[in-house]
Structures are given as C-alpha cells and as structure tokens.
Amino acid sequence: MNDTVSGLLDAIEPVGRDPRSGGYRRPVLSTAELDLRSWFVQEAEKRGLGVETDRNGVIWAWWGEPGDGALVTGSHLDSVPGGGAFDGPLGVAAALVAVDRLRERGVQPARPFAVAVFPEEEGSRFGVACLGSRLMTGALDPDKARSLTDADGTTLADAYAKAGIDPHRLGRDDAALARIGQFVELHVEQGKGLIDLGRPVAIGSSILGHGRWKLTVTGIGNHAGTTAMRDRADPVVAAAEIVGLVAALARAEDDARATVGRFEPVPGGTNVIASRVDLWLDVRHPDDAVTRGLVDRIGAEAAGCAQRHGCKAAVVEESWSPTVGFDPALGRRLADLVPGAPVLASGAGHDAGILAAAVPSAMLFVRNPTGISHSPEEHVERSDADDSADVLADVLEGLL
Ligand code: GLV
Ligand code: MN
Ligand code: MN
C-alpha cells in the first residue's frame, strides 16, 4: 500500500466543504460524516482490518483478532461548523497509514491492535463534546444522551436509530474499555506551540479543564415599530451586554478563556423584538475551581444585567471536563520513542482526555503553521502530515 496521509486527506477534501468559505461542516451522523465513516470503513477493509461499530457508535478496525488490552489509536471525523480539514481526520488518516508502515517494517502485533473513530467529538450537533468516549466511559448518562436534540429538534436517539445504531444500547461499555490497553491519539496542534519551537511533533501532557453552559435570557417579544424604547424588555440588548461581561470577567482571571460562539435570538426576525436569546458559554482554565468560580460570577452578573433590562437570565451546564494529565509512564515511553519531541499542554479537548480517566492515554500533536484551528485557516503541510504517520508508526511499534 503506498498511500500517504496527505493523499488520504485529498480523497475526503470535498466532503462537507463549503466552497465559498472553504470551511467544513461535518456534524455527527450527517450525510457528510456518514460519508466519512463509510470512507474509513472502506480504507480499513482495503487493509484487511476487521471493522465493527460498537453500541456507542465508535468504529473499530482490528488488525487481527479483537481482544482485551489492545493498543488503540485513532481520532474523530466530525467537525465544528466552519472547521478545518485536519481536526480529527489527520489522526484517522495517520492511523491508517501507520498500519501500512508497520506492515512494511514486518511488524506483527504481539497483542491486539485497533484503529478507532469516535463519534461527536466536537459536540457540534448535540451539544456534548466527546460524546462517544463519554458514553463509553460512563461519563455521560445514556438517558441524557438519548434525549439530546440538534438544532432541528431531532433527538440523538432518532439520529442513532436512523444510522442503524440501536439507541437503547448506549452507555458505559466495560467490554470496550477492557479492550483498550493504551490509547494514543494523533491530532493537529490547535495553537502556536510547535511553530514557536520550530518542531514538527509534540507529545501532549494535559488537557485544559473546560465546560459548556447554555445561558438563556428571557424578555418580552414584541413589535419593533409599535413598542417604545422605554416599554421594552429586549433580551438581545441584555444578552449583548452579557457577552461583553463574559469577556471582561475572563480577562480579569489569569489563564482563563471564555467564549460565546453561538448566540440565537428567538424567534429571530428583523422587525421582531425577541422573546428570548439562547447563548452558549465555553469556559476553560487549568484550575477547575477557578473555572467553576468564573462561571458562577458570569451567572450572577448576567442575572443582574438581565434584570436591569426587565429580563431574566438562567445558566444550565451542558458538559464538564476537568483538567486531565495524561498517563506519566506512557508519556515517558513516548518521549523515548520520539526523541527530542517537546511536551505541550492542550487547550483543546479530545477523546484521549476523556479516555484518560479509564485507560492509559497519550497524544501526539502535529505542527499547524497558521496556529489557527476551528477555522478554514487550520493547516498542516503535506510533508508534516505524511511524516506524522512514520512518527505514529514509531510509537505504535515501540508500544506493541
Ligand atoms: C474541541 O476541539 C474543543 O476543544 O472544544
Ligand atoms: Mn479534534
Ligand atoms: Mn476540534
């Protein structure tokens, strides 16, 4: 097999791509993501790997017989709205090519080995990031998962059923967890660490604690022409001020990051004073107590702000991931296998971070020359993408 990582990524380049912006929209179980899942199955079968989809929708491709204590590598194929081409697919393509490289080297796995693809890592359709790994580890209640809805009101249960995955079987999967002896996820770097260091690959040390909260501001819907300014309870005006407060409160806290990336006036009409605004907060800090404290302050200030505008504000947590450090012993093994690689903390969340609570996990990051991610500007040079499969193969060979 003489596939390269860049060649594999070229093959899926048009899938879910907006030709105007160049950004990708590949929500879990959408046509685009299902096309990518089929592409992965085809590529795995081309390599003689045995493919199965587990009860949480994770795709496994086994080299040899499935079994406990396997070495597992992989990533995800879904994207954020307007995302880049590499966030997720780079790790999946590198895993497939790493299998080719191991075979070329004559490696025969001495223990079970699999490539895994996790669903809804971004949470861009149903709101909970790393949904597949959270279900597998029991970090997400299956009843809660089944009732999550997308923007069109489709429940996750219906979306899974439509894709042929029985939603009644979702939930903690001890058999799947027992199969993962170690998990290694290769991923595009989503910041500037490797550019600053002038290096192509880093080893991950930790993932910044983060969570998502839905903030709802409720006012009184009315007519844009007949309602005097003094008579309004306009939630858009309150919510706009709240966005400014979020940024100001986060700036006052060292190392905190707070983002409002989604802001939806309801019903959303040019000549309509909205009755409600839904906005979503993403808040991150290395110290979980600081994140929680910051979210509490945002909630309190938002309530006061809403009240001044005759509105009400309420905050509901949608997901939470504490700061996690990757397995130190596995990290030391990776440092031996990728000599001289710098060690970087990740500000982004990953399935490896969720799995780390249950199994020894590690990450490799590949240089992104723009330092930008969750945007069409995200980039990996072809040579770095291709070389990443060799680095991953070195790591896998050493761990096998
Ligand atoms: C995923 O990339 C996240 O960090 O939200
Ligand atoms: Mn990712
Ligand atoms: Mn991402």
Side-chain angles (χ1 to χ4, degrees):
M1 194 87 58
N2 50 13
D3 280 333
T4 57
V5 176
S6 53
L8 286 182
L9 292 176
D10 286 347
I12 56 171
E13 198 257 352
V15 182
R17 184 169 182 271
D18 177 341
R20 284 159 305 173
S21 68
Y24 287 89
R25 189 176 282 268
R26 297 164 165 173
V28 71
L29 304 181
S30 62
T31 307
E33 203 251 3
L34 287 169
D35 283 354
L36 294 182
R37 287 165 76 90
S38 303
W39 161 83
F40 172 75
V41 170
Q42 258 174 34
E43 289 296 331
E45 287 178 345
K46 212 166 89 184
R47 288 166 171 80
L49 306 181
V51 178
E52 60 186 22
T53 300
D54 73 16
R55 54 202 187 83
N56 290 310
V58 180
I59 312 177
W60 299 74
W62 291 92
W63 179 359
E65 283 304 304
D68 287 354
L71 178 58
V72 182
T73 185
S75 192
H76 62 98
L77 293 169
D78 64 306
S79 80
V80 293
F86 302 91
D87 179 354
L90 178 70
V92 175
L96 290 164
V97 177
V99 170
D100 302 340
R101 298 287 170 271
L102 292 173
R103 286 196 169 128
E104 282 156 23
R105 296 178 192 179
V107 173
Q108 277 297 330
R111 61 174 164 132
F113 174 90
V115 179
V117 173
F118 288 86
E120 182 73 323
E121 191 274 347
E122 300 288 7
S124 63
R125 180 166 177 191
F126 292 104
V128 177
C130 298
L131 181 119
S133 52
R134 280 185 208 272
L135 282 167
M136 184 192 284
T137 55
L140 175 62
D141 176 64
D143 282 332
K144 183 178 168 197
R146 278 187 280 271
S147 64
L148 293 169
T149 51
D150 68 8
D152 297 329
T154 304
T155 62
L156 182 131
D158 285 346
Y160 263 63
K162 191 163 171 232
I165 306 164
D166 181 359
H168 301 104
R169 299 188 65 238
L170 296 181
R172 185 178 164 97
D173 189 344
D174 287 311
L177 285 173
R179 289 192 162 179
I180 309 177
Q182 288 158 320
F183 180 67
V184 180
E185 179 170 1
L186 180 142
H187 202 278
V188 60
E189 203 215 340
Q190 296 175 279
K192 296 183 160 61
L194 285 166
I195 315 174
D196 293 346
L197 294 164
R199 303 297 301 259
V201 177
I203 295 165
S205 56
S206 60
I207 294 192
L208 191 64
H210 57 287
R212 295 181 185 190
W213 291 263
K214 182 176 179 183
L215 200 160
T216 302
V217 186
T218 311
I220 299 173
N222 213 331
H223 192 289
T226 61
T227 318
M229 298 310 283
R230 66 173 177 277
D231 291 337
R232 299 180 179 209
D234 185 342
V236 173
V237 178
E241 248 178 75
I242 290 169
V243 173
L245 282 170
V246 169
L249 289 166
R251 275 195 212 104
E253 192 71 69
D254 270 354
D255 283 338
R257 289 131 206 226
T259 307
V260 177
R262 204 173 144 201
F263 184 105
E264 294 178 1
V266 178
T270 306
N271 55 351
V272 178
I273 299 169
S275 54
R276 192 179 90 222
V277 174
D278 293 327
L279 58 92
W280 280 263
L281 285 171
D282 177 308
V283 184
R284 311 189 187 210
H285 190 277
D287 181 337
D288 297 334
V290 173
T291 309
R292 295 262 183 217
L294 180 53
V295 173
D296 287 348
R297 281 201 297 289
I298 290 171
E301 297 244 357
C305 174
Q307 202 178 22
R308 287 194 292 282
H309 290 279
C311 300
K312 286 196 165 66
V315 178
V316 174
E317 181 177 305
E318 292 203 331
S319 68
W320 167 249
S321 308
T323 289
V324 278
F326 289 119
D327 186 74
L330 187 55
R332 283 193 293 278
R333 288 288 290 130
L334 263 63
D336 288 342
L337 295 163
V338 193
V343 176
L344 290 180
S346 171
H350 301 283
D351 290 303
I354 302 296
L355 292 175
V359 295
S361 301
M363 288 195 75
L364 292 167
F365 293 111
V366 178
R367 175 164 55 196
N368 169 0
T370 64
I372 293 175
S373 187
H374 285 185
S375 150
E377 303 302 315
E378 176 187 278
H379 189 63
V380 175
E381 294 296 345
R382 294 180 79 81
S383 55
D384 280 350
D386 294 342
D387 292 350
S388 74
D390 296 294
V391 175
L392 182 60
D394 291 345
V395 166
L396 298 172
E397 183 176 357
L399 296 175
L400 277 168

